[in-house]
Amino acid sequence: MADKQELARIFAEVAVLLELKGENPFKIRAYETAARILEELDGDLEDFVASGRMDATKGIGQALGLKIREFLADGRVKYFEELKAAVPAVLFELVKIPGLGPKKALQLYEKLGVNSIGELEYACRENRLVALPGFGAKTQERILQGIDYVKRFQGQFLLVDAWPLAEKAAAWLEGQPGVDRAAVAGSIRRRKETVKDIDVVVAAADPAAATELVAAMPGVEAVLGRGPTKTSVRLANGMNMDVRAVMPEEFAAALHHFTGSKEHHVGLRGLAKDKGLKINEYGIETAVGERLPVPDEAAFYRMLGLAYIEPELREGLGEIEAAAGGTLPELVTARDIQGVFHVHTTFSDGSATPAEMAAAARERGWGYLGVSDHSRTAVYARGLRLETVAEQRREIERLNAANPDFRLMAAIECDILPDGSLDYPDEVLAEFDFVIASVHSAFRQSEADMTRRIIRAMENRYVGVLGHPTGRILLARDGYGVDLGAVIAAAATTGTVIEINASPYRLDLDWRWCRKAKETGVLLAVNPDAHAPAELDYVRYGVAVARKGWLSAADIVNTRPAAEAMALLRRKRA
DNA sequence: GCCGTTTTCGGCCCGACTGTTTTCAGTCG
């Protein structure tokens, strides 16, 4: 079967290749758009073409349509292969360095014969870049710093590391004299799971003075650049932070602008243009250049004839059309969460007892907590032997009897063994209040085997929840190969809930798949997978994933009271 | 590359900052 993801990757790579060739930027955008369309495509590619849906899709015209048909027929795109052969591979590496774009990268390759990042670093140290036209000592120094950045961090950071830092920076700035307001913008505000840098927007009567302040902020290691409205700094942990300062009346428009995403803005600005308006980072202007006041973001969208679009949805994935048509979902919030199903205790690899975890859950205003320690095969995590299962159950019953207003559930995170069977026999599984099934071993199975394995586990009537469906660890390990489309379809037919593992190191199910799950009729559960009381707060990251995935409270099992939630996790037993 | 009841050609989002320039290209978001 032709893989639409592969074709999406090909088109995305064509876009990069064209950029390296200095092609028309709008042609490049056409390929980027096509890649996104394919990534988000519902159903398979053959059907997309055969049904005529492709021909009706805006953004795919004659040339791209031909290439899609070629891919379906031959499994390849000749144009891509020719391009790839004509563009040196090293250029792909070079443009990942901040400050290096296609033009300069090409010069380095052609004039200095640079064939790798290592060679570029060496050329900088030999002071050979300064002789090139358009280059100078500062560019060379900047490139050296950029190489260091890429080598140390691959240029990416976890949301969990960036978000608190960003909030701290905004709070500090807001406390400075002359500063009206400060707020976190950028991909952190959109709650992307990994981010490149921190963006903060500041309102001040004297913006230039406000940007001056940034250098004095605690944790700032170096000032990378400074203009009248923007300061870029590097923080001690290696992250870059941009602070943009505007007049108070420009704050909402600026916050919107710097929240992005780029794709969202492109869509909005096209729409504005149709209405004879112009959007820039300072506000909305009429055709005659009159600046219209934008008191807040809701007004901003209203002026464009749109419902308010939450930051998490601003990815250019249909949210503008939905806002125009009044079909945006009401997104779930952290306040909707009434309890969680997946935590570990001292019975396996957690650091707190069930009583301590329950107390921490109550402090957070929740009414229930599922204790789901590891099963026996997970020896590395001190998985529960059968005797311990009984012991834990007695402890949970004791706690429930003592605290009638809070419900502890005796559950298990049961390993899915390599053949798709479960780690305990059915008669043991039947004893648990509910069962979460997860893969913790044999990650290297083929995609087909892994998909069969997981689906077989979901077919077990005691399995209420599929845990962390891909096993990925962000910035550390890709998930195992698995056909998530097939897993989601099987979740729907078997009535299995899919977990949104809220550990900020996992965030698995990915938000990009949440919408698909919802449309397929699958319920999800936001679970912290906490191994300590403080980690219950991971739920905020899981809620962020759900929101990015267009989910409402009704799509999430643990927005319901205990009895109702339990019934959903046990519905396959009926 | 795509798109179009104003257009089949000429548009396609918009601006800041840097560094290397004597008026602007490249990069970034």
Side-chain angles (χ1 to χ4, degrees):
Chain A
M1 193 174 76
D3 182 3
K4 60 196 176 192
Q5 298 302 333
E6 189 190 340
L7 186 55
R9 197 182 46 74
I10 287 174
F11 283 161
E13 230 172 286
V14 167
V16 177
L17 288 164
L18 292 174
E19 204 179 355
L20 290 167
K21 284 188 68 184
E23 267 276 9
N24 175 357
F26 299 103
K27 180 170 172 178
I28 295 166
R29 204 164 90 192
Y31 278 96
E32 287 170 348
T33 304
R36 291 170 66 83
I37 289 170
L38 291 176
E39 256 171 43
E40 300 298 320
L41 185 62
D42 208 14
D44 70 45
L45 194 58
E46 278 97 345
D47 181 60
F48 179 57
V49 177
S51 67
R53 275 192 296 146
M54 181 181 84
D55 297 314
T57 301
K58 267 185 76 173
I60 296 182
Q62 202 179 10
L64 279 161
L66 276 173
K67 291 184 177 73
I68 293 172
R69 290 196 162 89
E70 179 194 356
F71 180 76
L72 278 177
D74 310 342
R76 63 194 200 115
V77 179
K78 235 178 103 192
Y79 178 61
F80 165 65
E81 289 171 5
E82 288 166 1
L83 265 178
K84 185 144 187 165
V87 176
V90 65
L91 295 181
F92 277 98
E93 296 300 312
L94 295 183
V95 294
K96 287 181 193 154
I97 299 168
L100 254 191
K103 299 277 161 45
K104 283 195 157 74
L106 190 62
Q107 274 216 69
L108 292 170
Y109 172 76
E110 285 183 339
K111 303 238 173 81
L112 292 184
V114 165
N115 263 312
S116 67
I117 289 191
E119 283 183 29
L120 176 59
E121 187 173 4
Y122 190 65
C124 289
R125 303 222 183 276
E126 286 207 319
N127 208 29
R128 284 160 55 205
L129 270 60
V130 293
L132 297 175
F135 285 75
K138 288 201 173 169
T139 305
Q140 180 170 278
E141 180 53 33
R142 214 164 115 80
I143 288 173
L144 262 180
Q145 281 178 11
I147 291 173
D148 187 46
Y149 185 76
V150 167
K151 285 209 305 202
R152 276 195 301 165
F153 305 108
Q154 307 132 17
Q156 291 283 321
F157 298 83
L158 293 174
L159 180 63
V160 67
D161 294 326
W163 190 358
L165 265 182
E167 295 289 355
K168 235 171 94 181
W172 184 88
L173 282 163
E174 205 162 60
Q176 300 307 301
V179 173
D180 249 40
R181 303 174 64 182
V184 177
S187 47
I188 296 176
R189 184 159 180 247
R190 299 200 315 278
R191 310 285 188 251
K192 284 286 293 290
E193 64 277 16
T194 59
V195 302
K196 254 180 60 191
D197 60 5
I198 294 174
D199 289 295
V200 177
V201 178
V202 163
D206 183 353
T211 62
E212 293 278 317
L213 292 168
V214 181
M217 194 174 78
V220 169
E221 196 180 71
V223 176
L224 304 175
R226 177 187 293 160
T229 73
K230 172 189 160 178
T231 298
S232 296
V233 296
R234 190 174 56 245
L235 303 177
N237 76 338
M239 286 199 79
N240 289 349
M241 178 169 78
D242 287 341
V243 178
R244 321 289 296 233
V246 296
M247 305 286 284
E249 62 271 24
E250 297 162 343
F251 182 74
L255 178 64
H256 180 268
H257 178 82
F258 293 111
T259 296
S261 67
K262 185 171 164 246
E263 291 76 14
H264 183 70
H265 282 312
V266 169
L268 278 184
R269 288 175 178 187
L271 183 73
K273 205 158 190 166
D274 295 343
K275 295 178 186 291
L277 299 170
K278 190 174 85 168
I279 299 172
N280 61 30
E281 58 200 83
Y282 302 108
I284 299 182
E285 287 176 12
T286 65
V288 294
E290 181 199 359
R291 175 89 51 88
L292 304 173
V294 181
D296 54 42
E297 283 189 329
F300 180 91
Y301 285 105
R302 228 173 10 250
M303 288 156 77
L304 297 171
L306 298 174
Y308 177 69
I309 301 176
E310 300 276 3
E312 292 94 330
L313 299 186
R314 301 179 194 167
E315 297 291 346
L317 296 174
E319 70 278 8
I320 295 173
E321 294 77 1
T327 58
L328 279 176
E330 185 177 337
L331 299 182
V332 62
T333 71
R335 288 184 302 282
D336 294 322
I337 300 295
Q338 299 205 28
V340 299
F341 306 123
H342 186 176
V343 306
H344 297 269
T345 70
T346 45
F347 279 87
S348 70
D349 59 349
S351 68
T353 63
E356 289 164 343
M357 292 302 279
R362 289 172 68 134
E363 278 171 29
R364 284 159 178 80
W366 297 338
Y368 54 91
L369 184 72
V371 173
S372 46
D373 276 307
H374 289 284
S375 61
R376 61 186 173 186
T377 292
V379 281
Y380 60 90
R382 307 200 299 123
L384 269 54
R385 290 169 298 124
L386 286 176
E387 311 85 81
T388 327
V389 167
E391 187 191 333
Q392 186 180 53
R393 169 144 215 119
R394 282 194 298 276
E395 167 68 359
I396 286 173
E397 281 168 358
R398 189 184 67 76
L399 289 166
N400 277 335
N403 302 289
D405 59 337
F406 187 87
R407 175 72 193 267
L408 270 176
M409 299 155 182
I412 191 81
E413 183 182 16
C414 185
D415 267 35
I416 301 174
L417 303 179
D419 66 353
S421 64
L422 293 157
D423 200 10
Y424 297 121
D426 277 3
E427 52 276 22
V428 174
L429 294 179
E431 292 295 310
F432 292 107
D433 285 333
F434 62 83
V435 174
I436 301 173
S438 306
V439 168
H440 290 117
S441 61
F443 290 168
R444 302 172 69 117
Q445 286 180 335
S446 73
E447 180 175 322
D449 285 347
M450 184 62 86
T451 304
R452 264 196 300 275
R453 172 185 181 183
I454 291 174
I455 290 175
R456 186 178 162 209
M458 286 193 295
E459 283 166 351
N460 183 300
R461 58 201 289 247
Y462 296 106
V463 170
V465 184
L466 172 65
H468 47 71
T470 76
R472 74 174 178 186
I473 306 291
L474 291 166
L475 300 185
R477 176 178 90 196
D478 285 341
Y480 31 78
V482 59
D483 179 350
L484 276 178
V487 167
I488 287 169
T493 54
T494 59
T496 310
V497 171
I498 295 184
E499 172 176 88
I500 295 174
N501 189 294
S503 162
Y505 303 94
R506 292 185 180 268
L507 298 180
D508 179 18
L509 189 68
D510 187 282
W511 60 270
R512 296 162 188 82
W513 283 96
C514 287
R515 251 168 110 179
K516 173 77 176 172
K518 171 184 186 158
E519 287 162 11
T520 314
V522 174
L523 286 171
L524 296 112
V526 174
N527 278 330
D529 197 355
H531 288 68
E535 292 178 6
L536 292 176
D537 291 330
Y538 285 169
V539 161
R540 77 194 294 218
Y541 294 91
V543 169
V545 168
R547 289 170 61 86
K548 275 196 94 57
W550 293 51
L551 301 188
S552 302
D555 303 314
I556 313 252
V557 178
N558 48 318
T559 58
R560 294 162 167 79
E564 198 182 324
M566 273 267 279
L568 285 168
L569 299 186
R570 295 168 65 89
R571 62 182 162 174
K572 289 160 71 179
R573 303 188 187 197

